[in-house]
Amino acid sequence: MTGFIIVAALLVVAVIALLLPPLWRAPRASGTADRREANLAIFRDQISELERERHDGLLAEADFVSARSELQRRLLDEVQPATTTPAGNDSGGRKTALALLVIIPLAAVAGYTVLGSPRALDPLQRQARLAPQQIAEMVAGLVEKLRKNPDDSQGWVMLARSYKVMERFPEAAEAYSRAGTLVDQDAALLADYADVLSRSHGGSLQGKPIELVERALRIDPDEPQALLLAGAAASDRQQFAAAATYWARLLAQLEPGSEEARALEAAIAKAREIAAAQAAGEKPDTKPTAGTVSGEVTLSGKLAGQAKPNDILFVFARAEDGPRMPLAAMRATVADLPLRFRFDDSMALGGGRKISDFKTVSVEARIAKAGMAQSSSGDLFGTLKGVKPGSQNLRLLIDQVQP
């Protein structure tokens, strides 16, 4: 960006340098000066001729004086400056020069704004065009720098954010843990640390993630990501009234009518509905059984506009090392989101395999655009991997689009 601006500025200066000097200099009446020199030479010759005639006795003294006076009068008329001198033109030229000095740079900027591509100067726009290999090389370079300077807190934060973009959540959590007091004193960084730590542990916010969230809210009670995570953690604990309270505080910060606001309003309404049922004595059964996997499915606000309320939603558990056939599954619609799910051995499908037969399973939620369980292009989905049987209060976010 800096190089482009410098080159453009030099071109503008060059144009000004070519245009201004002729306008700034006063006009030179070279033609008039030459004509006057010629007339003076003629008058001098005529005076000499009169003097010769008087000397030769051909011209009386009185006639000589009269003729010389006439020549002198005509000479004064010729050499006297004209009343219509171009001084006014000199002032006008300089005014034009000053005007161009201001107008040319402004016109260049305005022209580029209208006809050019100002966003191309944004380093963030150029960064978005980086290939995955280039991003990996940049991250590798940052890792090498941190090996030489492990006390660079800003570098560790940059590395953590890079790993998060690459969905390498365990590495992102490790990088945040190395950033020290820079993270401990920043509510936004604490919330982001909690998020990647949760994602690296199958989506659970319990334990250290919720501790980080609580610390973030003590620093800044209105930190957006901390409020979102605090509500999710409360929902995981079946504390839906508290979840609705956290999310309502977040909703007040969102643009009314935006996709994010509409998705959050739906979550708040659902949480309040469940809280009201709990208050009426309809307590959910939270006692786990063998092979139980439970949690909640939510839809990312970034993808909310791509889903319709009546789109089919499938949630299923699969063995990570075994057959692709689901071990358990449920069907709902987008209108049911946020959706609580609970799988156990009693829900085993055909084939006789159960969740408890495997050390780890993956849980996937898929919004099927074609209405079928099989994946197809355009489906919205989210996946949790490495989930151990018996895991509860998982948080499964639908945040990807099937190519």
Side-chain angles (χ1 to χ4, degrees), residues 35-50 68 70-79:
R35 180 174 59 83
R36 287 178 180 177
E37 289 294 334
N39 288 339
L40 286 174
I42 293 172
F43 289 142
R44 282 194 294 268
D45 291 341
Q46 290 179 343
I47 289 291
S48 298
E49 181 67 23
L50 288 175
R68 186 180 63 179
E70 177 64 20
L71 284 174
Q72 289 175 342
R73 184 186 63 78
R74 290 171 57 190
L75 178 62
L76 290 175
D77 289 342
E78 182 64 30
V79 300

Side-chain angles (χ1 to χ4, degrees), residues 24-368:
W24 191 263
R25 290 194 296 266
R28 299 176 58 183
S30 58
T32 301
D34 293 342
R35 180 174 59 83
R36 287 178 180 177
E37 289 294 334
N39 288 339
L40 286 174
I42 293 172
F43 289 142
R44 282 194 294 268
D45 291 341
Q46 290 179 343
I47 289 291
S48 298
E49 181 67 23
L50 288 175
E51 289 177 347
R52 282 195 300 272
E53 290 180 357
R54 183 188 63 171
H55 181 270
D56 294 338
L58 299 176
L59 188 65
E61 184 66 25
D63 293 334
F64 170 78
V65 171
S66 176
R68 186 180 63 179
S69 296
E70 177 64 20
L71 284 174
Q72 289 175 342
R73 184 186 63 78
R74 290 171 57 190
L75 178 62
L76 290 175
D77 289 342
E78 182 64 30
V79 300
Q80 188 176 17
T83 57
T84 57
T85 179
N89 292 341
D90 179 22
S91 175
R94 293 188 177 185
K95 289 180 180 179
T96 302
L98 291 174
L100 289 176
L101 186 63
V102 175
I103 292 173
I104 289 177
L106 292 179
V109 173
Y112 184 76
T113 302
V114 174
L115 302 176
S117 180
R119 292 185 64 190
L121 300 178
D122 188 351
L124 294 179
Q125 295 294 326
R126 292 186 292 130
Q127 184 178 13
R129 296 193 294 269
L130 292 176
Q133 182 179 358
Q134 292 176 297
I135 295 175
E137 291 174 355
M138 292 171 63
V139 170
L142 181 57
V143 170
E144 185 61 29
K145 290 181 180 178
L146 289 172
R147 285 176 181 170
K148 299 177 181 178
N149 184 18
D151 296 328
D152 183 3
S153 298
Q154 289 283 0
W156 285 113
V157 169
M158 290 177 59
L159 182 61
R161 288 172 170 169
S162 300
Y163 278 142
K164 182 180 180 180
V165 171
M166 299 168 70
E167 298 186 355
R168 295 168 60 176
F169 301 118
E171 292 96 328
E174 173 64 21
Y176 268 131
S177 71
R178 302 287 298 274
T181 56
L182 180 62
V183 172
D184 294 338
Q185 298 174 359
D186 190 302
L189 292 179
L190 283 169
D192 205 46
Y193 183 10
D195 183 49
V196 298
L197 191 61
S198 167
R199 290 170 181 258
S200 65
H201 291 87
S204 175
L205 282 163
Q206 306 312 311
K208 187 173 182 178
I210 192 58
E211 293 176 6
L212 295 170
V213 169
E214 291 171 351
R215 285 165 56 187
L217 291 176
R218 284 196 294 269
I219 296 174
D220 181 3
D222 293 323
E223 208 294 313
Q225 189 174 16
L227 289 173
L228 179 65
L229 297 175
S235 177
D236 290 345
R237 298 191 302 269
Q238 307 292 312
Q239 298 173 350
F240 295 101
T245 300
Y246 284 121
W247 289 337
R249 286 162 55 185
L250 173 59
L251 180 63
Q253 303 180 46
L254 301 181
E255 181 182 354
S258 64
E259 294 180 1
E260 293 82 0
R262 291 196 299 269
L264 193 58
E265 286 172 351
I268 293 171
K270 190 73 172 182
R272 288 173 175 168
E273 178 184 345
I274 297 175
Q278 289 178 332
E282 303 175 10
K283 297 182 180 180
D285 181 13
T286 59
K287 183 178 179 180
T289 59
T292 299
V293 174
S294 66
E296 183 179 59
V297 180
T298 57
L299 175 61
S300 169
K302 296 180 179 179
L303 301 181
Q306 301 184 38
K308 299 178 181 178
N310 59 346
D311 284 346
I312 302 300
L313 169 66
F314 292 100
V315 184
F316 43 85
R318 282 197 180 107
E320 291 192 317
D321 298 320
R324 292 295 298 164
M325 179 178 292
L327 302 173
M330 63 181 296
R331 173 174 169 155
T333 64
V334 171
D336 296 320
L337 293 172
L339 175 70
R340 296 291 304 178
F341 67 89
R342 183 177 182 276
F343 299 137
D344 58 44
D345 287 350
S346 66
M347 303 172 66
L349 300 179
R353 306 304 298 271
K354 302 176 183 178
I355 293 177
S356 59
D357 292 339
F358 302 90
K359 292 182 179 180
T360 60
V361 298
S362 64
V363 181
E364 179 175 333
R366 178 175 295 274
I367 297 175

